[in-house]
Amino acid sequence: MNNDLFLLKKCANYLEVKYFLSNFATKYMPKMKKLLFFIVVMLFETTLWAQYRNPVIAGYHPDPSICRVGEDFYLVNSSFLYFPGVPIYHSKDLVNWELIGNVLDRESQLPLKGATSWLGIYAPTIRYHEGTYYMITTNVGNGGNFMVTSRDPKGPWSEPLWLEQQGIDPSLWFENGKCYMVSNPDNTIMLCEIDPKTGKQLTKSKPLWQGTGGRYPEGPHIYKKDGWYYLLISEGGTEMAHKLTIARSRSIEGPYEANPANPILTNCNMKGQTMQIQGTGHGDFVEAPDGSWWLVFLAYRNFGGAYHHLGRETYLAPVEWKAGEWPVVNNGEPIDTLMQAKTLPLIPMQAKQTYYDFKSPFGPEWVYIQNPIAQNYQKKDGRLVLIPHGTLTDNNRPTFIGRRQESDKVLVETEVDAATLGTGCEAGLTVYQINDGHYDLALAKDLSGKVAVIMKFQAKSLAKAVAGDVVTGKVKLRITSDGDMYRFEYATVDGAFTSLAEHNCQMVSTEVVGGFTGVMVGMYAEGGAGASFGYFRYEEK
């Protein structure tokens, strides 16, 4: 029996556990006990495997779009000013996701000159048609709407095909040998036919729908089901009043009739007003292999009141979509962090890497601000050497490499060698929301040659710095957070950590400093010569 219980711990999903419990009951229990046992199993089936947690992709992962190929799901997100751009995820169950790459990984695909947290790559759409994956998106500030393609979702992806119809949040629909594009120029959802091989527009843009009257009708996606064309859009702006609305028509060109029950998704109502999750909207439907329908969408979690600093995240909700009827999301109930829905058989992903020693290539989770200057990021003898270029606040290709903060409770740590700093150099860790909204913990070398630990913050016009001890040799820098406060500490390699400062997470929230992104944590260097980093540690608590 001990061996059987050991096997239970190794069961990866619902089907494995159910099979194990059935055999366990047959092997060990008399008939009456077996009956009671199966009753327990049924209760187990309707509770534990009827739940999952939102968000399914935490941290700054806005504007999700999804497609299914066989039993595999692929999902992409906006990336704004970060390079490489458009992270792409893979899943078998819609709940557990693995980052497999970034669609835009070359400067020729992704020019980001002058991009800020308000500009760059807006909402992408991913679609699959006849062996080819298509990703269509907008580079705001550097070219407009474009499309790339690949035979493999891991890439490489093609060079951009630039598109004529503008607006933002473009999407594709393939049917009868034709490729249609929708986007939202002039606050109107517009349709045209394009050549998917060249990007050339083949028909005039035709207006379809302006939504239900909410501001910023955007994020259009077309689906066909039971003889109807359904047009899903988001309205209300990507803040508290965000929502999803839907219309349908017998013809792809319209006219489109609005769902009388719009909006089909929002937490900005009496039912949802007390939820931690707010700003629900901008979604994409997908049908699973078992015939069930699901919605991926963005939302954010408030911390410390009505503030969110982790950015807009990717959420999942079940959809009931009966033949010929309108889709109903989550049975009309608000979206919560714990969801009640029968999932697909769950297949957990491997644990994420938490310690980086710079001996291996950077994984797809690592990004730069704008297009990086390659020679400013060097690996020498198992250490990372950063050569400064400008400052984080200047926002001109600063020397920064980091990753998304994907949990409210984290520990971030690095080690900087004080002996490598040039005069005037500052190097360390940053909690970065936007160019004029970030916390920094670093070593700084003054004109006299002394190196001190400093902690500083920039929150719009509010700026402040705190100095710690003068240090020599290798120094550890650590930032922790519990979701309400960031705490900044430092230590010599063999010493205990000393607290230097603590500040509220609200100061780097979207509500305070703005932007369309979320907190990134990483390493930076500015001023003077370079600095040498020994490792990077990122752990979620």
Side-chain angles (χ1 to χ4, degrees), residues 244 264-265 285 295 297 317-320 327-335:
L244 282 175
I264 62 170
L265 174 73
F285 289 121
L295 177 74
F297 57 97
V319 177
E320 183 181 31
V328 177
V329 178
N330 196 37
N331 198 32
E333 295 300 313
I335 304 301

Side-chain angles (χ1 to χ4, degrees), residues 68 73 94 286-294 318-319 342-344:
R68 178 175 67 86
F73 299 93
L94 293 169
V286 69
E287 184 180 15
D290 66 356
S292 62
W293 282 88
W294 297 84
V319 177
K342 184 180 179 181
T343 66
L344 302 177

Side-chain angles (χ1 to χ4, degrees), residues 172-380:
L172 298 173
W173 173 257
F174 294 90
E175 185 175 26
N176 297 328
K178 295 183 178 182
C179 176
Y180 297 93
M181 168 187 168
V182 284
S183 60
N184 76 332
D186 302 319
N187 281 320
T188 301
I189 307 303
M190 306 283 277
L191 173 80
C192 69
E193 184 185 344
I194 66 171
D195 183 338
K197 294 183 179 179
T198 66
K200 181 178 175 57
Q201 186 165 327
L202 303 178
T203 62
K204 290 183 178 181
S205 298
K206 179 180 178 60
L208 298 185
W209 195 39
Q210 288 187 311
T212 62
R215 66 176 184 163
Y216 307 136
E218 57 194 14
H221 294 303
I222 288 178
Y223 314 87
K224 190 174 184 181
K225 186 177 184 295
D226 310 318
W228 290 95
Y229 292 91
Y230 288 86
L231 176 57
L232 178 71
I233 73 168
S234 56
E235 300 184 49
T238 186
E239 301 94 24
M240 184 75 74
H242 210 28
K243 58 187 175 183
L244 282 175
T245 58
I246 196 167
R248 68 182 182 181
S249 172
R250 290 293 188 183
S251 167
I252 194 169
E253 295 186 350
Y256 281 82
E257 166 200 4
N259 181 357
N262 277 327
I264 62 170
L265 174 73
T266 186
N267 267 21
C268 189
N269 53 28
M270 291 185 67
K271 284 186 175 181
Q273 64 185 346
T274 61
M275 298 294 183
Q276 182 189 24
I277 296 170
Q278 293 298 327
T280 55
H282 197 110
D284 199 2
F285 289 121
V286 69
E287 184 180 15
D290 66 356
S292 62
W293 282 88
W294 297 84
L295 177 74
V296 292
F297 57 97
L298 70 77
Y300 58 81
R301 288 177 290 167
N302 281 329
F303 295 93
Y307 299 90
H308 75 282
H309 62 291
L310 297 185
R312 297 167 298 159
E313 306 169 297
T314 293
Y315 291 75
L316 176 72
V319 177
E320 183 181 31
W321 203 342
K322 296 179 179 179
E325 298 185 11
W326 297 99
V328 177
V329 178
N330 196 37
N331 198 32
E333 295 300 313
I335 304 301
D336 206 348
T337 51
L338 182 62
M339 297 290 289
Q340 304 291 332
K342 184 180 179 181
T343 66
L344 302 177
L346 298 181
I347 305 174
M349 297 295 179
Q350 292 183 350
K352 296 178 183 179
Q353 186 174 352
T354 60
Y355 184 86
Y356 304 84
D357 59 11
F358 307 135
K359 294 178 181 178
S360 303
F362 288 113
E365 67 272 28
W366 290 90
V367 296
Y368 308 87
I369 296 172
Q370 303 169 352
N371 303 112
I373 302 171
Q375 62 266 29
N376 290 346
Y377 305 85
Q378 304 175 12
K379 291 182 178 179
K380 295 181 179 179

Side-chain angles (χ1 to χ4, degrees), residues 38-49:
F38 275 112
I39 292 174
V40 172
V41 171
M42 290 176 64
L43 292 173
F44 190 56
E45 178 177 331
T46 58
T47 55
L48 182 60
W49 271 275

Side-chain angles (χ1 to χ4, degrees), residues 399-425:
T399 298
F400 162 92
I401 183 167
R403 52 157 298 155
R404 292 158 175 84
Q405 181 181 334
E406 297 178 352
S407 172
D408 54 320
K409 299 176 177 63
V410 294
L411 180 151
V412 182
E413 185 179 296
T414 192
E415 172 254 286
V416 182
D417 189 348
T420 64
L421 268 67
T423 301
C425 183

Side-chain angles (χ1 to χ4, degrees), residues 492-505:
T492 58
V493 170
D494 298 322
F497 276 91
T498 297
S499 176
L500 183 57
E502 62 179 39
H503 287 283
N504 204 296
C505 296

